[in-house]
């Protein structure tokens, strides 16, 4: 192998794994794990094993290098009738018991206040039932008093946390609508930061040495982090650490994460910490309930095979990225719910199953996986070289006369089960698209001095639209009218956000909006059909219209139903008599509505 691959090094096959040591790893690097499900799992009979011997889960984690745990706290995880909601039913009394055990083992504790009765994330930040009718100073007082109550209880029980999160994935605030940053009825950054400061004041009064974390999702989204932390810095919010969720199949590449962490650590002079991450060790299902990580597409997006080796390699690479943040600002990582084995009734919701067991760090029977050794091996392993296992196939489809977009990089599977992208140069003959058929197109990967071949399929229909899938990375020759700021061409991340290829049109705005996307083309007289693909948040109305073709203006409307639920609005039997046609898509959005538009087509009917 040549070029960059010569410097890729990995460890010996200790524990049956390939793990490369991380150079200059800080002594106090946080190897953490969120174990908020543990109390519930144990109560329901779940057991954990090391080398076939049943042991305390926390003891097993410590033996494998875990030095911190993370615990979420919900105010009152019960419904109106007092029935438990599930997902661990993580009230502060239960979490204190887990924290006590961790402290006795010499582990440190990060406490994650959701300030909700149940799951809180960027899509939902509901007030606790008891606070539903509280606003302004009364709500601030409730946040302050509750925070203090929990921390004082933990201190009395020898379980005071060493670090506290004030809110969970607060991309758009918490305690909605009072603490919502944008959207209908939102209190804005001012309302959000008043509540945030009330929580922080309580933490500081209990113990000023407790580090305070403010946590966002989308770890690879630098524009989000700059927007958010510029605003709270302007409002003099007192905190110590920027917390990040980073799941590689949702939040961009490791390079995206690295660029974001480097920037925000320097821009705000703050420590950074990945407080949530995970990866699958198998695509199998342990309890008959659908898993979140559920297919090969997620492996390709995430960049690692769903194997024990792939799980370990991902963590090793993530640790290296965080450790390399300038000026020692990279504190460490927390693996999310590595303890969540499939145990009956220990589901994400009462009466439902576990969508996470294939991302735990124990197998379905509670046996510790070899990948848990990564937290020690990054410090102790010896380096060695790696080999290429497979260059993944490249398949490109286009229409007659339409120049195809070949990928700038190909995916290469290595012996550590990483799937890395290597630059490729293609030798494409444009005359191939003048006749339908299947062709081989040669490419060259300089880094490994290897030729490869892509399969090009040219379909028999000619697409008369220009730049139909936005693979140029820009709109032209499409035009946009209306709320231009709501719509842009993006490189889809994850890639499944695009219907095909790498790019798609994305729309979103934090206020109501409307826009039109249109293109007018010349074409021979005849009968045609036109359509496109779209997906997005539930309830967005999108209309497709054709005009200027010599007949009555026609339109069809579709409504999005959810992420990756692709819709295909189409108008058929369009008799073009003027030698031209105008294709228009119009979107009417409410504040916060979002979606993707991709792969237009204008075909002549057979």
């Amino acid at each position: 192998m040549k070029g960059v691959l010569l410097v890729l090094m990995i460890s010996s096959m200790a524990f049956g794994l390939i793990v490369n040591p991380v150079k200059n790893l800080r002594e106090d690097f946080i190897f953490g794990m969120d174990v908020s499900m543990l109390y519930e799992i144990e109560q329901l009979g779940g057991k954990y094993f090391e080398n076939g011997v049943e042991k305390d889960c926390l003891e097993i984690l410590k033996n494998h290098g875990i030095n911190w745990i993370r615990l979420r706290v919900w105010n009152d995880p019960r419904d109106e009738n007092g029935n438990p909601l599930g997902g661990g039913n993580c009230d502060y009394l239960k979490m204190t018991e887990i924290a006590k055990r961790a402290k006795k083992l010499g582990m440190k504790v990060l406490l994650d206040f959701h300030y909700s009765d149940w799951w809180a994330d960027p899509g939902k930040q509901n007030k606790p039932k008891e606070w539903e009718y509280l606003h302004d100073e009364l709500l601030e007082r409730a946040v302050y008093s509750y925070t203090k109550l929990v921390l004082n209880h933990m201190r009395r029980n020898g379980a005071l946390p060493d670090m506290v999160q004030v809110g969970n994935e607060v991309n758009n605030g918490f305690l909605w609508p009072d603490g919502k940053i944008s959207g209908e009825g939102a209190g804005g950054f001012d309302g959000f930061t008043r509540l945030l400061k009330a929580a922080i004041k309580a933490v500081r009064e209990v113990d000023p040495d407790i580090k305070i974390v403010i946590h966002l999702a989308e770890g690879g989204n630098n524009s989000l982090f700059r927007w958010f932390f510029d605003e709270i810095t302007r409002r003099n919010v007192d905190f110590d650490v920027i917390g990040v969720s980073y799941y590689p199949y949702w939040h961009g590449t490791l390079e995206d994460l690295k660029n974001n962490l480097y920037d925000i650590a320097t821009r705000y002079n703050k420590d950074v910490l990945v407080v949530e991450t995970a990866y699958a060790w198998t695509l199998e299902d342990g309890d008959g309930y659908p898993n979140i990580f559920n297919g090969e597409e997620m492996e390709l997006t995430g960049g690692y095979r769903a194997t024990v080796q792939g799980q370990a390699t991902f963590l090793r690479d993530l640790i290296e990225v965080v450790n390399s943040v300038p000026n020692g600002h990279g504190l460490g990582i927390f693996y999310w719910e590595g303890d969540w084995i499939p145990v009956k009734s220990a589901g994400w919701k009462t009466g439902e199953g576990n969508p996470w067991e294939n991302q735990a760090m124990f197998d379905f029977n509670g046996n510790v996986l070899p990948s848990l050794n990564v937290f020690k091996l990054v410090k102790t392993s010896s380096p060695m070289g790696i080999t290429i296992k497979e260059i993944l196939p490249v398949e490109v489809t286009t229409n007659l006369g339409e120049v195809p977009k070949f990928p700038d990089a190909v995916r290469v599977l290595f012996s550590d089960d990483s799937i890395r992208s290597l630059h490729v140069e293609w030798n494409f003959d444009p005359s191939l698209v003048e006749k339908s058929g299947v062709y081989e197109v040669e490419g060259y990967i300089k880094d490994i001095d290897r030729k490869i071949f892509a399969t090009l399929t040219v379909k028999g229909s000619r697409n008369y639209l220009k730049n139909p899938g936005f693979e140029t990375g820009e709109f032209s020759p499409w035009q946009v009218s209306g709320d231009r700021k709501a719509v842009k061409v993006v490189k889809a991340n994850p890639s499944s956000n695009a219907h095909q290829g790498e790019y798609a049109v994305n729309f979103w705005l934090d206020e109501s909006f409307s826009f039109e996307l249109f293109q007018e083309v010349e074409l021979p007289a005849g009968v045609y059909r036109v359509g496109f693909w779209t997906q997005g948040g539930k309830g967005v109305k999108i209309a497709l219209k054709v005009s200027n073709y010599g007949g009555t203006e026609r339109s069809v409307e579709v409504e999005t139903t959810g992420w990756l639920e692709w819709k295909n609005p189409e108008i058929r039997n369009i008799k073009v008599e003027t030698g031209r046609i105008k294709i228009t898509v119009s979107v009417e959005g409410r504040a916060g509505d979002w979606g993707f538009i991709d792969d237009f087509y204008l075909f002549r009917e057979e």
Side-chain angles (χ1 to χ4, degrees), residues 263-282:
D263 178 65
I264 60 179
T266 304
R267 184 178 181 89
Y268 306 109
N269 192 28
K270 294 290 185 183
D271 290 336
V272 292
L273 176 65
V274 174
V275 296
E276 289 188 28
T277 195
Y279 208 81
W281 61 272
T282 180

Side-chain angles (χ1 to χ4, degrees), residues 403-406 408 466-478 489-491 501-504 598:
V403 176
K405 170 69 174 177
F406 287 90
D408 296 328
K466 307 296 183 186
N467 194 20
F470 307 95
E471 293 304 311
T472 62
E474 56 187 35
F475 281 112
S476 181
W478 293 92
V489 176
V490 297
K491 190 169 187 177
E502 297 180 340
Y503 290 87
D598 200 11

Side-chain angles (χ1 to χ4, degrees), residues 115-181:
Y115 296 114
S116 182
D117 285 338
W118 207 37
W119 300 105
D121 54 50
K124 55 185 179 300
Q125 295 280 345
N126 300 319
K127 282 184 187 177
K129 293 182 292 293
E130 288 190 5
W131 301 356
E132 186 175 355
Y133 299 106
L134 300 182
H135 304 284
D136 302 320
E137 187 179 339
L138 289 177
L139 184 57
E140 292 169 36
R141 193 180 304 164
V143 171
Y144 169 84
S145 299
Y146 173 75
T147 305
K148 213 162 188 180
L149 168 73
V150 172
L151 294 178
N152 280 330
H153 174 81
M154 296 184 80
R155 178 164 56 185
R156 287 193 300 271
N157 283 273
L160 188 67
D162 305 273
M163 200 178 288
V164 165
Q165 269 185 237
V166 282
N168 187 75
E169 296 187 332
V170 293
N171 299 33
N172 196 20
F174 61 4
L175 293 163
W176 290 354
D178 307 63
K180 192 175 188 179
I181 295 169

Side-chain angles (χ1 to χ4, degrees), residues 541-575:
K541 290 181 170 57
I542 302 175
L544 170 65
K545 179 176 68 175
V546 293
S547 59
N548 298 359
Y549 63 92
T552 304
E553 184 178 288
R554 295 172 60 187
S555 65
V556 63
E557 187 175 89
V558 69
E559 188 171 303
T560 56
T561 56
W563 184 50
L564 300 187
E565 295 181 12
W566 287 98
K567 307 297 179 184
N568 179 210
E570 185 178 66
I571 301 174
R572 303 184 70 104
N573 298 315
I574 308 165
K575 188 175 181 181

Side-chain angles (χ1 to χ4, degrees), residues 422-490:
L422 299 180
H423 179 71
V424 60
E425 296 177 354
W426 298 101
N427 182 21
F428 168 63
D429 179 0
S431 68
L432 293 178
V433 299
E434 297 306 317
K435 185 178 180 180
S436 61
V438 179
Y439 307 97
E440 281 193 337
V441 176
E442 182 182 289
Y444 176 65
I445 306 174
K446 185 177 180 181
D447 287 333
I448 56 175
D449 188 23
R450 183 176 296 191
K451 286 183 180 180
I452 64 168
F453 292 91
T455 300
L456 172 64
T457 301
V458 181
K459 295 191 290 188
S461 300
R462 181 180 295 271
N463 190 348
Y464 286 88
L465 288 170
K466 307 296 183 186
N467 194 20
F470 307 95
E471 293 304 311
T472 62
E474 56 187 35
F475 281 112
S476 181
W478 293 92
Q479 298 182 60
V480 179
S481 64
D483 291 315
R484 182 68 174 77
K485 62 183 177 180
V487 58
K488 58 186 179 295
V489 176
V490 297

Side-chain angles (χ1 to χ4, degrees), residues 28 43 64 90 94 142 170 274 296 312 316 321 403 414 426 429 465 471 506:
D28 60 347
Q43 292 298 305
H64 288 77
C90 303
K94 295 184 180 77
V170 293
V274 174
E296 293 180 0
R316 181 259 160 219
V321 165
V403 176
F414 290 90
W426 298 101
D429 179 0
L465 288 170
E471 293 304 311
N506 170 239

